[in-house]
Amino acid sequence: MPYLSRIRINPLRAQSRKLLASPRAMHAAVQGGLPGPPEQERTLWRLDADNPHRPLLFVLTTGKPDWTHLVEQAGWPGADGEHYAVRDYAPLLRQLATGRSFAFRLTANPVQNTNRPDKPTPRQQERIEAGDRRSFRLGHRTATAQLNWFLTRTARWGFDIPTAPSLDGTHDTDNQPPRDIRIITRQRRSFGKGPLTPKETHVVMHAVTFEGRLRITDPALLTERLLAGIGPTKAYGCGLLTLAPLPERA
């Protein structure tokens, strides 16, 4: 049974600063809330720092977690209020139906596969010269490319993005009406998988947060993406798509 959690993070504590600065450290903290072996627990997480004074950590787990350790290390353990909330995800999944619209948010790592990078790194150049035919996974760097990555994949994720409400008939540069989606944050991050990780095996990711309105076209496909995540680097805070109900229009 899946559960969606929301945990309050206190950014002024030393452990919090470590978690907020390192996706690898945050991943370890998330795994620490699950009683089973890490390889048996599939998790997705996302850090929402719209308010830098009150960042929120969202986590989707397959089993019921306990976030006491996060509250003690990176929250307000002695304060009033709800330090974390854990909700059964099944009621939301039962609401999914073709044609229904939801507000959404997703932090993803938009990537492309290519055999010839425009500006290969020394390591990539070595592979090319050695005749390695495997493709390279490269992150999209511009907002236009990142948005296009999202919009060209929605059909395989079980939804589409409706036209944005508009009163003036504005259109995009390709003479198409604008979609109801926006990028709210873009961040390039580079870090090692461990304290002794060689530089050439560092993780490099372009974390992009999208939000807007989606319309369901295939509830089964959307359910799969909600539970399994979207895109690569899921262990490091990418891939969690969350939905919020919208008033149904007459």
Side-chain angles (χ1 to χ4, degrees):
M1 180 183 298
Y3 292 89
L4 182 66
S5 303
R6 184 189 65 226
I7 306 108
R8 297 192 303 168
I9 302 295
N10 180 350
L12 298 181
R13 302 190 68 176
Q15 181 64 16
S16 300
R17 291 194 291 271
K18 177 182 176 181
L19 298 179
L20 295 173
S22 170
R24 185 172 64 85
M26 185 66 84
H27 170 68
V30 167
Q31 293 300 115
L34 305 171
E39 64 274 8
Q40 295 182 7
E41 295 280 0
R42 183 177 61 190
T43 61
L44 297 169
W45 63 272
R46 186 184 73 228
L47 183 67
D48 286 358
D50 307 54
N51 181 350
H53 303 291
R54 294 291 185 274
L56 295 173
L57 175 65
F58 290 87
V59 187
L60 183 66
T61 59
T62 53
K64 192 170 185 178
D66 181 359
W67 305 116
T68 305
H69 70 294
L70 267 176
V71 175
E72 293 174 347
Q73 297 172 16
W76 289 269
D80 292 334
E82 187 179 55
H83 301 290
Y84 67 85
V86 179
R87 300 288 185 264
D88 182 358
Y89 209 42
L92 174 68
L93 298 179
R94 288 194 291 267
Q95 295 181 43
L96 305 183
T98 301
R100 185 166 184 187
S101 295
F102 286 85
F104 76 88
R105 178 174 284 198
L106 166 71
T107 295
N109 179 19
V111 298
Q112 59 180 323
N113 292 320
T114 179
N115 292 320
R116 284 287 177 178
D118 292 335
K119 297 179 180 179
T121 64
R123 177 60 176 166
Q124 291 169 345
Q125 188 62 41
E126 288 179 9
R127 283 181 50 187
I128 294 172
E129 293 174 354
D132 191 336
R133 296 181 178 274
R134 291 175 299 169
S135 62
F136 299 95
R137 176 181 282 179
L138 304 178
H140 287 293
R141 299 183 180 183
T142 68
T144 298
Q146 292 161 351
L147 189 59
N148 184 65
W149 173 87
F150 184 97
L151 291 174
T152 56
R153 286 163 171 77
T154 57
R156 71 183 71 169
W157 299 334
F159 61 87
D160 61 19
I161 303 299
T163 301
S166 176
L167 300 178
D168 57 6
T170 57
H171 288 71
D172 290 335
T173 54
D174 58 0
N175 203 34
Q176 295 295 319
R179 302 293 187 91
D180 200 351
I181 182 175
R182 54 202 166 275
I183 291 176
I184 59 172
T185 62
R186 302 169 61 230
Q187 186 177 28
R188 181 186 185 277
R189 309 197 77 169
S190 176
F191 52 93
K193 293 184 177 180
L196 301 178
T197 303
K199 183 177 181 180
E200 61 268 18
T201 58
H202 276 206
V203 176
V204 177
M205 55 186 281
H206 293 79
V208 183
T209 301
F210 306 88
E211 70 173 22
R213 179 169 58 100
L214 62 78
R215 180 172 52 217
I216 300 173
T217 58
D218 189 320
L221 281 179
L222 178 55
T223 298
E224 181 182 346
R225 289 305 97 203
L226 287 170
L227 297 178
I230 289 176
T233 56
K234 296 181 181 69
Y236 301 118
C238 292
L240 176 58
L241 173 69
T242 54
L243 305 180
L246 290 170
E248 292 294 329
R249 296 180 179 180

